[in-house]
Amino acid sequence: MTPFSYHRPDSLDAAAAALAAGGPGAKILAGGQSLLLALKEREARPSQLVSLASLGELRGTRTAADGGLEIGPATTYAALAKTVFPGWQQEIATVAGNLADRSVRNIGTIGGGVCQADPRYDMPVLLSAADACFTLVSTRGKRVLGTDAFFNKAGGTHIAADEILSAITLPPLGQWSVLIFEKFRFRTFEAAVGTVALAVRFDDTVKIAEARLSVGVVAKAPSLATKAMQSMTGKAPAELPIDEIAAAASEEVLPLASALTMQQKYQSELTISLVKRALRRLTAKGAGHE
Amino acid sequence: MSMDSLPDKSSNQQPKNLVGTSVPRTEDLALLTGTARFIEDLKFPGMLYAKILRSPKAHARIKVDTSAVLGMPGVHDVMSGPELVGKVKPWGDVMQDLLVGDHFPFAVDKVMYEGHELAAVVADTRYQAMDALEAINVEYDELPVLVDVEDALAEDAPLIQEGINYEFGDGNIFDRYRVRIGDIDAAETEADLVIGQRFTTNRQSGAALDPHGCIANYDSFSGVLTLYSTTQSIFMLRDNLADALQMPRNKVRIVAPEIGAGFGAKVQMFSHEIVACLFSMRLGRPVHAVLSRADIFRSGTCRNGQIRHSELFLKKTGEIIGYREYIIQNSGALSLWGNQVVHIGTNVGLLPYPIPNLYIDGEIVHTNTAPGGALRGFGIPQIIFAKEQLVEMAAERLGLDPLDIRAMNTITRGQCPVTTPIGQRVDSTSVDECLQKAAKEIRWKEIRANKPHNEGVGMAISMKYTSCRHPSFDTDLSAVRLRLETDGTVTIFSSDVTHGQGHATFLSQIVSDVLGVGFEKIMLAPPDTANAPFGLGTYASRAAAVLGTACRTAAERLREKIVAIAAHVLEADPQDLETGNDRVYVRGMSDSGLYLENLASFSVYRTHQLPPGFEPTLESTATYDTPTDREGSDGSGNFSVTYAGSSHAAHVRVCEETGRITILDYVMVHDTGTVINPLIVEGQHHGGFLMGIGMAMGEDYVYDSEGHLLNATFAEYQAPQAADMPELNHCFEIPAPSLTIPGGQKGAGESGTGPVPAVIANAVAHATGVRFTALPITADRMLLALREKARTGLKYFRYPDDMPDFTGPRDVASWPKPKGEMELFF
Amino acid sequence: MSKISMKINGRTVSADVDERMLLIEFIRDVGLLTGTHAGCYEARCGCCAVEMNGATVKSCNVLALQAEDAEILTVEALSTQRVAPISHITTQTLASVYKPLDAKASHLADLHPLQTAFHECHALQCGFCTPGMLMVLKGFLEENPNPTRGEVREAISGNLCRCTGYQHIVDAAMRAAAVMRGETVDDIIHETA
């Protein structure tokens, strides 16, 4: 690592001020599970680290004013995995408990993973399907970005150098009926080679009123399979032509004509399989909703 | 440290014979409590830290400018290749048996692989050394990079090792191999089936978790250079190091700390060891040099990759009458052990079939990739991957059960001792029984009769050497010195460095049984060339059999001395005396006799009590050099003193959606002869299996076209994790004690590795009709193969041969031939 | 440089450290406890696992500064060395005339049930990954006292071992879990081959 100074502010305002004062060489330290890897390799060479360790307000979950679920970005995956959330929001806990490994989950944070936004990470894809919002604060004020605005299609996020992610907010319970995450890894605890997340709201007749289908890994940011999503609306889960939708979704996010490397060909096939699995789970849940 | 043992719940006396018992290890207490000292745990006053700059380019002419380094904070010294030319002797000849030194501490005017050493810095702290590396300026004049071994064989391929004249060399070929036994043409005429297939195998890292490292400590007053190093052989290292540094061998001392595994990757001298020594000599201070994980992937040696163009000749009964092969081995840019992998691996890997007609050619080739070295299995997994798949392919063509073909061809217990056509002398085996047991336990016949969709069973059978005559030194020697201390305790001195195999425990079991000394009274001294007898080291599954035999002999000699003294003092006939419970006593009168601790002190402090003519002190040294051959020019010879046997079987299920291959059941049956410590041996088989499954199902060196290793991290490198391993609760031993090793034991370290890739490939082929002719067998390849197989409608599909983008030869007719006239070289 | 203080195995350790110092370096070089090992520095192999404020973390991937005021437990805490009479191995009259001296040592009898189980089940060969395995299993079993073998395997999937193939480690974890639940376990019969 190259040398840096270390600050541990005791309020969010102080942290924002430290970040602004530090200029482009200042970086936020949450759990450090992504950042430290880059530091040790000398790929990241910050002059200053601003630790969020004393900011209790960035940890834990609470209900937002509009009924949404506000997750503190400095909440560890382990803490999330132990929390019981209502309804479809429980998928957050399930996914949090099934990534990285025990030791990394104990200190790695959801905010850290989301800001790193590696295409193989789970949370960005899950949050993208759930249509989460991201609150960013700086000395210049506060702004809220939707998922599509938050993740950068060229990789990473659109967080400015002086901004701190202060909340990840899931929509209120009524927004969705079901949230499903599917992934495939070669080994038990490593980054996924394929991820798919599906959020669905049923109407009163248990037909799909709205669907968001997000696919990870194949591009630098989570990709929404919008045409596949549209084709699902208005149908009951049992009526869905699963194979067709899966093939269409895969083709949409990674057209076969562009899948030239072996890795891409596999991703294409895997996306089909994971979408099928998600749709089968949807059908099972749809049946349970009657 | 005290040497207590678990509270003894039975009688006061320990069981009469410890050999054969799973005595819990004496090594454990220090390791469990974190008090054992590995290389990184040693600290010396004034110790400095060395870091090595490594080439990011795989093939280039270089100019290294270190001028900016001296004067940087904390930096004491810097060095690079040119200043050492003519001072440090290039090495490699002795190990390779190729009479040329092609290894040097740094690249001098060109780099030959990514990771090749460019320069080194020594500083007060690690960070200061790393900062200084960034100030070193290197100019690169890039050369074409040869990643694939077949490209390295092309007529116009650039020469990687320039200016070196290898005995058997030709372009990038640096060694050749040839086997000519019987008459292959006659066999071809006689055969009812000749089945051929091209197989390719992968590079693999031992990835021992304890990084390669050393601390050099040159004493400027005595001129003695001491090196603490993670090495599997203290004497091979000492002699290579002393030779390279042109120092007298009695002034070079190698000490091994606790070593966290090696698997063959720590059995040779490395540049960082020389660099640390050179800095220490110049500065007169201890110098620490421990490699990073990325360095170890790139330059810590790895398994050699192979292309085997293999043909099996059979009669329609299934009898194997011939084997023909052209091997091309990728040994990286330089390799000390790589060529022997072809020589030894092929010879021993032909077992257990005593094939009468053999025609094998091998070319061992340099490429601009990581250096190839010794790794658990040593060429046997590669040939078994080819041969045991050909057996199942032949079975399919002949309408026979592969189990029956194996049973018909394998040597059997009843036939032994037997000499095979290539010259192996197998003293004993139960490998035929292992085969049947494995088949029975996996439910071979039932599953094949009623094959579930996407499930299958596969088998393989192989044998393993128990140590091997070192190919170039022409030796297979180990030695043990025992000292009965004057209080009746015993010290064992050995230079065969233990690194997880439990030497302290099983050697003590042997000594305890022979001498009658209490197990807890015996200690293995830390390996140190200053006081250990000369031995080759721990590798090639040799410790239990070769070191164990030296130990047993030393103990017997010591026992003779003890009994002679006791006979004199007790005025008894030596034939009437027994040893046991720390005593020597007249048979039948176990409560009387002489305590060893009294007897031992007589022998030095009361020498008038000794028998006339008896030489005082109670030390004995014994060596064991196995009765083995060097390789003949036709490839024949018996390289190993005895052979272990393995037969494995797997039941797998393949997921059509993801390609994941799940091992539902895995059976291992081994012949390890007389087992000294069953739990330790079982652990060796489990570990051998892990290395095999890694090779079979995920581990690989992934290079881009510029020779950059893309997966040189544990994040990317597919080392198996606990949840991805099957339960190994079907592990059996069918002992056929060795007739050559006095204690009957055979090596265990590598038996678990050899069959694994073939077993998995055979099981997957049975499950899906997709036969993998390349390793590793991974989920992504599996899925794409399944999709392509479905698209083409082929009943039998080969991966990668039948994939549309495959550019290699798809059939025997289009196979390449060896370069040049092989016969001229032998 | 920054001042930092933390408790390691109950003992306060303070120093002035380079901000870049990793927790593992603090434990080993300042705390002088070398049982925690570095195998990769990538937070993958798990040899560096320690307990921080009651939960395991990979100490190669945590800054020492992140452990300010933390309670750290390392493998050395699983059984402490104590001063006790050294075993007498002399069988002669000295034994009855003089009492054995005291010396500091580790004792098999003092081992944590996990360590004992590892010893009995041959769950370690080279021992390099062992401290990390022990710390992760300790945390896991305290949270999950009655796991299945599959759950144990998942729990240690962040720890690599290249020697044992994991089989005996899982055996040892199951055995230790039983002991930690207060159950009696059979003596491991040291069988002949």
Side-chain angles (χ1 to χ4, degrees), chain C residues 133-145:
Chain C
M133 286 284 180
L134 288 169
M135 295 313 289
V136 168
L137 282 169
K138 170 187 180 288
F140 172 70
L141 290 179
E142 283 168 1
E143 253 177 59
N144 304 271

Side-chain angles (χ1 to χ4, degrees), chain A residues 190-221:
Chain A
E190 64 177 354
V193 293
T195 52
V196 153
L198 173 65
V200 160
R201 185 177 68 254
F202 297 125
D203 64 20
D204 305 325
T205 63
V206 201
K207 290 208 194 304
I208 295 168
E210 189 185 344
R212 270 178 77 89
L213 178 60
S214 183
V215 178
V217 184
V218 300
K220 295 203 160 89

Side-chain angles (χ1 to χ4, degrees), chain B residues 543-574:
Chain B
V546 183
L547 182 65
T549 299
C551 187
R552 177 175 290 279
T553 309
E556 282 163 358
R557 287 181 187 167
L558 195 49
R559 186 180 184 280
E560 261 178 53
K561 289 186 156 186
I562 290 167
V563 166
I565 297 174
H568 179 72
V569 171
L570 298 174
E571 293 172 2
D573 188 325

Side-chain angles (χ1 to χ4, degrees), chain A residues 168-251:
Chain A
I168 300 168
T169 312
L170 290 179
L173 220 47
Q175 167 62 26
W176 302 112
S177 311
V178 164
L179 178 61
I180 293 167
F181 181 80
E182 282 286 337
K183 72 171 169 181
F184 183 73
R185 300 173 281 209
F186 290 138
R187 291 182 297 173
T188 297
F189 283 131
E190 64 177 354
V193 293
T195 52
V196 153
L198 173 65
V200 160
R201 185 177 68 254
F202 297 125
D203 64 20
D204 305 325
T205 63
V206 201
K207 290 208 194 304
I208 295 168
E210 189 185 344
R212 270 178 77 89
L213 178 60
S214 183
V215 178
V217 184
V218 300
K220 295 203 160 89
S223 311
L224 282 178
T226 41
K227 290 193 220 112
M229 283 151 54
Q230 280 157 16
S231 77
M232 286 169 66
T233 352
K235 299 193 172 68
E239 294 165 356
L240 292 172
I242 289 182
D243 291 357
E244 226 177 85
I245 297 176
S250 178
E251 179 64 22

Side-chain angles (χ1 to χ4, degrees), chain B residues 456-467:
Chain B
V457 285
M459 286 192 73
I461 185 173
S462 83
M463 294 182 79
K464 192 73 181 72
Y465 52 69
T466 293
S467 192

Side-chain angles (χ1 to χ4, degrees), chain A residues 42 45 188 266 269 273 280, chain B residues 131 134 657-658 724 787:
Chain A
R42 296 191 164 199
R45 299 179 181 225
T188 297
Y266 183 61
E269 289 289 343
S273 297
R280 275 186 242 130
Chain B
D131 291 340
E134 291 188 346
E657 286 194 332
T658 61
D724 309 308
R787 295 289 179 267

